[in-house]
Amino acid sequence: MAPILLNDTELRFPDFTIVSASAGSGKTHTLTLKILQLLLSKKVPNNRLNNVLAMTFTRNAAAEMRQRVLEYLKKAFHGDNTILDQLSPLVSINRPDLRIRCGELLETILQDYSAFQVQTIDSFMARVFRASALEFGYSPSIEIVLNNAAILDAAFDQFARELATDPSKQKLLEELTDIYIESQNTSSKYIWDPYQKLSDEVRRLYNTLSAQSKDILTTVDGGHHVSTLRKELLDVFHELTGLVRNSGLEMSRYFENAVAAAQGGDVDKLIELKSVHKPVKTGKSKEEKEKTEEWSRRFLPLLDRFDELAGEYVVTQAYHFYRPSIEAHNLFRGTIDRMMRRSGQVQLPDVNRILRHFISEEIVPQVYFYLGDTISHYLIDEFQDTAPVQWETLKPLFAEALSKQGSLFVVGDTKQSIYAFRHADWRIMKSTMEDNVFPSAPPHVLELKTNYRSFEKILDFDKTVFHTVVPFVVDGEAPRASGLSTFEQNVNEINRNKGYVEVVSFEKDEAQEQQRAKILDIIRDCCEQRGYRYSDITILTPKNEHVVAVSGWLNSAHIRFVSHSSLDIRGRRVTGDILALLRFLD
């Protein structure tokens, strides 16, 4: 595939480039070429190993990126024309000198491998934290833990004892318990022992808030009580209802539902019903339409007032409902801070939280002093999986680099955001593509529209699903805003008129005999009729327990297979025995 990157004589610094790339369009390849361009070029300012940092989201991805860079350099040095054809347009170096330059860079990396900075975002955050640990009151040797379950369990145990024994906090404990009982579904069992429920909810809130880029709202503007706002909302709606009836126009069926909710005093349902803004039916004749428009103008002030009160009511109600949880969160965070200092450990979410409050554009030079060198060129893979707290922490570092003739090169796809459980937000990438986040370097957006991985029939199926089906079943702007319903992707020429997709629906069957027969039939057809081998076939399942079932089907049919679940040593009994022994010895 041809590189889309500019030649180094055309590069201008500072530079902020965003590459929007769908699956199979070569984004990893593009990022690899960009790293090589920055390191190989004799015209890119501040491009020593220590000045370039590439960040990914997993260790495997970081290892693959390092391996690719070293592989490309080695092949180029040994005269691989395919690699040289891709590198030559990127740098102003003749081919013989480029081979020598690749060998020199390879030797430099191998001699000082620690300066070759391709790592996960979490690893970089941890590195900055350790370098600045004394500023936060921690030892530089503090252990940063990824799994915070043990610390949170111990902290909540101590926190719960404080709530139960401190008279000033017992009211908070009662309020928390009432909230969680109230939030239970009517079909749920009564919470006889709220300890586990409180523990789960407080920890979940802790992890969620630690990943946010903004502080918690501690006060609400207006200061109205929920009951006062509820009464004002009903008064405005009753006034609107009276005006609708006086108009002589026919009330819409949907508005009648809103009237019924108001008569029952159900303000929450009244706000949820979107039909409040369509109180009357539109007439068919010209006179009826004109009359409807005239009365709609009279309804408008009351509707605006209703919307204003509804917005204030929702925020105020949420604040009062969650206030005890926020108070508990603040107390819980203090307990965790004490336990972390006592144990010599800090959790990764807290690393991000502390750095977010610490790093600003004024403090960045001090951060680089702690790190030992200045980073001038940043690269990020899978940018769509960036969390708000990560983005707000890294932004001052990016701004500093761009203000001093550096660069920021990010690659991602808003459609492929898969780390929502880690609070990733694809809207960060979307906003950086549309807004001028860094005044010194407006974004330069590139799109990779050719898919080199999939056959044409696969892409056609994808377009049918996401362009036609998804907008029909998913409300709101998310399909369009994320690019799911609007993406453009072309097939590589050699993959045209190839591929096959079949969707099969089955009746609900506990024994899953239909699914079993279909899968075995497909495997036999692929191997016996179409010339494929077992190693060419992959079976994906939604859950791990489904892997067990499918493995049984294959085993009974004497089909050789490798189950990834069986390769996971965490599920082996002997592994559990070894861990239990180690805990006992510890």
Side-chain angles (χ1 to χ4, degrees):
M1 63 190 78
I4 62 165
L5 306 176
L6 296 172
N7 185 282
D8 60 4
T9 59
E10 301 170 312
L11 294 176
R12 297 291 181 269
F13 294 95
D15 175 71
F16 176 25
T17 298
I18 302 174
V19 177
S20 177
S22 297
S25 55
K27 56 185 177 182
T28 304
H29 176 71
T30 302
L31 191 65
T32 303
L33 290 179
K34 185 63 179 180
I35 294 173
L36 289 168
Q37 182 186 43
L38 291 173
L39 294 174
L40 288 170
S41 174
K42 296 181 179 181
K43 299 189 176 182
V44 173
N46 303 316
N47 66 339
R48 292 180 297 116
L49 277 180
N50 284 336
N51 303 134
V52 179
L53 170 65
M55 291 182 283
T56 67
F57 278 85
T58 67
R59 292 181 179 179
N60 287 341
E64 181 186 355
M65 189 68 65
R66 288 193 292 269
Q67 181 179 343
R68 275 174 175 255
V69 171
L70 294 174
E71 180 184 354
Y72 281 33
L73 289 173
K74 181 180 178 181
K75 287 184 176 180
F77 174 70
H78 286 291
D80 187 306
N81 289 324
T82 302
I83 300 298
L84 289 171
D85 287 344
Q86 296 177 60
L87 292 178
S88 294
L90 303 181
V91 292
S92 303
I93 306 175
N94 62 54
R95 211 171 180 96
D97 290 343
L98 178 58
R99 290 181 58 184
I100 296 173
R101 176 70 174 151
C102 287
E104 292 173 345
L105 178 58
L106 181 61
E107 188 70 22
T108 300
I109 292 175
L110 295 178
Q111 287 183 352
D112 190 8
Y113 195 71
S114 62
F116 183 31
Q117 302 181 94
V118 181
Q119 56 192 135
T120 65
I121 287 185
D122 289 341
S123 296
F124 178 67
M125 294 291 198
R127 176 181 159 203
V128 174
F129 182 85
R130 284 197 182 93
S132 314
L134 291 175
E135 292 285 331
F136 313 132
Y138 292 94
S139 167
S141 61
I142 192 167
E143 180 185 2
I144 297 176
V145 295
L146 300 180
N147 187 347
N148 59 10
I151 292 179
L152 290 180
D153 283 341
F156 186 80
D157 187 48
Q158 180 176 332
F159 172 68
R161 286 198 298 269
E162 293 174 0
L163 286 180
T165 57
D166 188 339
S168 64
K169 297 176 182 176
Q170 286 179 358
K171 186 175 184 297
L172 175 61
L173 178 59
E174 293 173 1
E175 289 179 335
L176 283 171
T177 305
D178 289 341
I179 285 175
Y180 296 136
I181 291 176
E182 183 181 339
S183 63
Q184 289 278 100
N185 296 328
T186 55
S187 60
S188 299
K189 295 180 180 179
Y190 180 77
I191 306 177
W192 294 103
D193 181 5
Y195 179 89
Q196 190 59 48
K197 178 71 174 177
L198 289 173
S199 173
D200 293 341
E201 292 296 329
V202 170
R203 288 190 301 171
R204 182 182 61 81
L205 181 64
Y206 178 84
N207 286 326
T208 299
L209 293 178
S210 295
Q212 303 310 307
S213 60
K214 297 181 180 179
D215 293 323
I216 303 169
L217 182 67
T218 55
T219 59
V220 175
D221 295 335
H224 292 98
H225 291 294
V226 173
S227 58
T228 303
L229 288 168
R230 185 181 286 113
K231 182 179 180 303
E232 290 185 27
L233 270 167
L234 290 174
D235 289 343
V236 170
F237 185 80
H238 289 320
E239 186 179 349
L240 174 63
T241 304
L243 195 62
V244 170
R245 286 174 174 153
N246 291 336
S247 70
L249 296 170
E250 185 178 358
M251 188 181 295
S252 70
R253 179 168 58 86
Y254 301 105
F255 191 75
E256 290 176 356
N257 294 333
V259 172
Q263 289 175 344
D266 192 343
V267 175
D268 294 336
K269 183 176 181 180
L270 184 62
I271 291 175
E272 290 176 4
L273 291 171
K274 300 177 182 179
S275 52
V276 171
H277 294 81
K278 298 179 181 179
V280 295
K281 294 181 179 179
T282 303
K284 296 181 179 179
S285 67
K286 181 180 180 181
E287 293 77 12
E288 288 175 328
K289 290 180 179 178
E290 290 176 351
K291 185 178 180 180
T292 302
E293 291 177 2
E294 178 187 347
W295 277 97
S296 296
R297 286 191 290 269
R298 298 188 189 184
F299 301 150
L300 195 57
L302 288 174
L303 290 171
D304 289 342
R305 178 59 179 160
F306 181 87
D307 288 342
E308 181 183 345
L309 289 170
E312 187 177 349
Y313 170 80
V314 169
V315 173
T316 305
Q317 185 191 42
Y319 171 75
H320 286 291
F321 183 82
Y322 288 108
R323 180 189 55 76
S325 298
I326 298 303
E327 289 183 17
H329 167 78
N330 292 333
L331 293 172
F332 186 52
R333 172 159 280 170
T335 304
I336 288 179
D337 287 340
R338 291 192 297 272
M339 293 205 69
M340 287 192 303
R341 295 177 191 278
R342 188 185 310 161
S343 64
Q345 294 180 325
V346 63
Q347 306 167 101
L348 187 59
D350 289 289
V351 167
N352 294 329
R353 174 178 59 85
I354 294 169
L355 288 177
R356 177 174 68 84
H357 289 285
F358 174 68
I359 297 181
S360 63
E361 292 189 21
E362 293 75 24
I363 208 72
V364 167
Q366 189 175 344
V367 171
Y368 286 141
F369 173 76
Y370 294 145
L371 291 176
D373 214 329
T374 299
I375 299 173
S376 299
H377 305 283
Y378 289 90
L379 304 95
I380 303 180
D381 191 17
E382 306 294 354
F383 184 50
Q384 76 280 351
D385 287 320
T386 307
V389 67
Q390 294 173 329
W391 177 238
E392 291 301 322
T393 303
L394 291 169
K395 259 203 311 188
L397 298 173
F398 298 157
E400 170 78 5
L402 293 172
S403 69
K404 297 183 177 179
Q405 300 303 299
S407 67
L408 173 60
F409 187 88
V410 302
V411 179
D413 179 12
T414 53
K415 305 185 296 300
Q416 294 187 64
S417 184
I418 60 173
Y419 286 104
F421 65 94
R422 290 180 54 183
H423 313 288
D425 191 346
W426 58 268
R427 292 172 296 185
I428 293 173
M429 179 173 178
K430 183 71 174 178
S431 64
T432 56
M433 293 171 66
E434 298 173 347
D435 304 331
N436 193 9
V437 179
F438 304 106
S440 60
H444 177 214
V445 180
L446 302 174
E447 289 190 58
L448 302 180
K449 296 183 179 180
T450 301
N451 187 304
Y452 295 91
R453 181 188 303 164
S454 302
F455 291 153
E456 186 173 28
K457 302 297 183 182
I458 309 296
L459 290 182
D460 290 343
F461 174 75
D462 290 345
K463 291 175 183 177
T464 300
V465 171
F466 293 111
H467 289 184
T468 305
V469 179
V470 168
F472 181 74
V473 298
V474 178
D475 294 329
E477 288 295 306
R480 185 196 60 80
S482 65
L484 272 175
S485 61
T486 58
F487 70 88
E488 290 184 47
Q489 199 167 26
N490 305 315
V491 68
N492 191 22
E493 193 63 37
I494 62 173
N495 292 332
R496 291 194 181 280
N497 300 315
K498 296 180 180 179
Y500 176 78
V501 178
E502 180 183 4
V503 178
V504 182
S505 298
F506 299 100
E507 296 292 333
K508 189 172 183 180
D509 176 16
E510 293 296 333
Q512 298 181 312
E513 284 300 323
Q514 292 180 324
Q515 293 95 311
R516 175 182 177 277
K518 183 63 177 178
I519 287 177
L520 296 179
D521 181 59
I522 291 174
I523 293 174
R524 292 191 187 99
D525 178 64
C526 288
C527 296
E528 297 174 7
Q529 303 298 326
R530 299 164 60 189
Y532 290 101
R533 298 169 298 175
Y534 289 149
S535 59
D536 297 324
I537 301 171
T538 296
I539 300 176
L540 305 179
T541 69
K543 296 181 179 179
N544 285 334
E545 57 259 34
H546 299 153
V547 174
V548 176
V550 174
S551 298
W553 302 343
L554 299 178
N555 193 51
S556 64
H558 305 291
I559 294 176
R560 299 189 305 276
F561 67 94
V562 175
S563 167
H564 280 261
S565 291
S566 67
L567 297 178
D568 189 346
I569 64 169
R570 294 172 298 180
R572 301 288 186 90
R573 169 178 263 180
V574 65
T575 305
D577 292 343
I578 293 172
L579 289 174
L581 175 62
L582 291 174
R583 289 193 193 98
F584 170 75
L585 294 174
D586 187 47

